[in-house]
Amino acid sequence: MLAIIVIALTALAMLAGQSLPERTGPPIENISVERTALEPGRITLTLRNTGPDAVTVAQVAVNDTFVDLVGAADPIGRLESQTITLDYPWITGQPYLVSMLTSTGLVIEHEIPAAVATPVPGVAFFGLMALLGTYVGVIPVLLGMLLLPVMRGAGVRAVRFVLAVTVGLLAFLIFDGTSEGFKLAAASSGAFGGGTLVVLGAAIAFLTLTCIDRYLRGRRPAGTTGASELRLALMISIGIGLHNLGEGLAIGSAYAVGELALGAFLVIGFTLHNTTEGLAIIAPLARRRRTPLLTLLGLGLIAGAPAILGAVIGAGVDNREVSALLLGVGVGAIIQVVIQIAPSLRTQGRSDLDPMVLVGVGVGILLMFLTGLVVPA
């Protein structure tokens, strides 16, 4: 084994000592617009070079009309970013096509489907984001947790059915978070891996939560089932919280560029969609005789409060790569939680699954799908 490592290091050293041949042929230029900010009479674009060669933006046209350009006087190196400002009297609601002409004559286009003034960050703006995160994260989760007394009055088979519904809910969140993450990654510059960021975030979260779970298992006294149920509820809360962090990021980023229509219908839609997450948290606690109110409140805040943080960060940063990475983190966390719940679905003394468990998983997926249809964004 040591000999293989020595040979590999020697080969790498030999490759490092050799100069790479220069690439011949025409330059390969590619620019991605990471952020678009619109102010009265001005359009600001943040550009990132995602190609192998340096790019110099020589001229810019908006709807086939050349405009005054400020910024990007120097070539933009690979993976570097620069900001350019265009003097243009845009009109709210109108579409615009920005054509960037490089020094080699290549035209790179960027479309603005509907011009909307970019909100100016401030105390009131971030306060609104925090309020929106509370509406879509904390309140729905706590509302769902109010069903705990009903769950305690149910039988063992009913509790197992609810746990199966929880698995269905989480399975839908895995699919939803993965698809949203890849969608954001596809819309990003791709300079930092694109869809790979979603997979990387999922792997990091899965391994981290696995370590946390092993640590909590090691601290649990032998024979304390209540501690095991509380541990499972905590893991579910963490997984849902990381998912809501990514959801808040997407909401904040969309609002920052004027793509999210705020209204009562949107709030109601997210509330219905996320209330089921509270049900998932209390499902393992139904077998406990008593759970302190502060413990329940803490679990609800762990699951819902990250939506507030995500909305504030998303509105201030508006970075698709960060949003894709954190959506992947949520996906990995929920996968780990599903693995934790799976053993509770089996009936003691039986190797096969109760048909009610399969029905419960299907009900959970269908429930999340139907409530998701209510959300217009």
Side-chain angles (χ1 to χ4, degrees):
M1 186 67 177
L2 179 62
I4 295 176
I5 296 176
V6 172
I7 294 173
L9 292 176
T10 304
L12 289 174
M14 293 176 61
L15 290 174
Q18 297 179 357
S19 59
L20 295 175
E22 294 185 1
R23 186 176 57 80
T24 59
I28 300 176
E29 299 175 327
N30 192 18
I31 292 178
S32 175
V33 179
E34 289 193 334
R35 180 178 173 85
T36 304
L38 283 80
E39 303 174 28
R42 203 185 326 185
I43 301 175
T44 302
L45 304 177
T46 301
L47 310 178
R48 185 174 296 277
N49 180 3
T50 57
D53 297 321
V55 180
T56 300
V57 179
Q59 290 180 309
V60 177
V62 179
N63 286 0
D64 297 329
T65 302
F66 285 100
V67 298
D68 293 335
L69 167 66
V70 177
D74 300 325
I76 308 174
R78 171 168 169 74
L79 299 183
E80 293 180 356
S81 64
Q82 289 190 18
T83 300
I84 62 173
T85 301
L86 314 176
D87 291 330
Y88 188 82
W90 55 271
I91 302 174
T92 301
Q94 294 297 315
Y96 293 97
L97 180 64
V98 180
S99 302
M100 293 168 283
L101 180 66
T102 69
S103 58
T104 62
L106 179 67
V107 177
I108 301 175
E109 296 181 337
H110 169 65
E111 183 181 2
I112 302 176
V116 178
T118 303
V120 179
V123 176
F125 175 71
F126 287 115
L128 178 61
M129 288 298 98
L131 185 61
L132 180 60
T134 303
Y135 280 150
V136 303
V138 178
I139 294 178
V141 171
L142 293 179
L143 286 176
M145 295 179 69
L146 292 177
L147 295 175
L148 180 58
V150 178
M151 290 290 302
R152 283 180 175 158
V156 176
R157 197 177 185 196
V159 172
R160 190 178 297 117
F161 174 78
V162 176
L163 284 173
V165 173
T166 298
V167 171
L169 301 177
L170 297 178
F172 185 89
L173 290 181
I174 292 173
F175 172 79
D176 183 61
T178 302
S179 60
E180 185 66 25
F182 280 115
K183 187 187 302 182
L184 285 172
S188 68
S189 63
F192 300 102
T196 308
L197 290 172
V198 182
V199 180
L200 177 64
I204 292 174
F206 181 85
L207 295 176
T208 301
L209 280 188
T210 300
C211 294
I212 294 175
D213 177 64
R214 295 293 174 87
Y215 173 76
L216 294 176
R217 284 176 184 268
R219 290 176 57 88
R220 184 187 63 182
T224 53
T225 57
S228 176
E229 294 159 356
L230 185 59
R231 174 185 57 82
L232 183 55
L234 175 61
M235 298 295 288
I236 293 174
S237 297
I238 293 174
I240 291 176
L242 291 176
H243 172 80
N244 286 337
L245 175 64
E247 186 178 82
L249 276 168
I251 293 172
S253 299
Y255 185 83
V257 296
E259 294 179 355
L260 184 63
L262 297 178
F265 188 71
L266 176 66
V267 173
I268 293 173
F270 273 116
T271 300
L272 290 174
H273 188 62
N274 290 347
T275 297
T276 51
E277 296 175 355
L279 181 64
I281 296 172
I282 63 172
L285 302 177
R287 298 172 183 173
R288 301 190 73 185
R289 296 183 60 184
R290 183 177 180 275
T291 303
L293 181 60
L294 289 179
T295 301
L296 293 174
L297 181 61
L299 292 173
L301 290 177
I302 290 173
I308 301 174
L309 179 63
V312 172
I313 295 176
V317 177
D318 185 26
N319 188 295
R320 291 185 176 90
E321 279 87 358
V322 174
S323 298
L325 176 66
L326 291 181
L327 279 170
V329 167
V331 168
I334 294 175
I335 291 175
Q336 212 282 337
V337 171
V338 170
I339 294 176
Q340 293 292 319
I341 300 176
S344 302
L345 301 181
R346 292 189 176 276
T347 306
Q348 292 184 355
R350 294 181 57 181
S351 59
D352 58 332
L353 285 176
D354 189 336
M356 289 298 293
V357 170
L358 300 178
V359 173
V361 174
V363 168
I365 295 175
L366 182 62
L367 185 61
M368 288 296 281
F369 173 75
L370 293 178
T371 56
L373 294 179
V374 183
V375 183

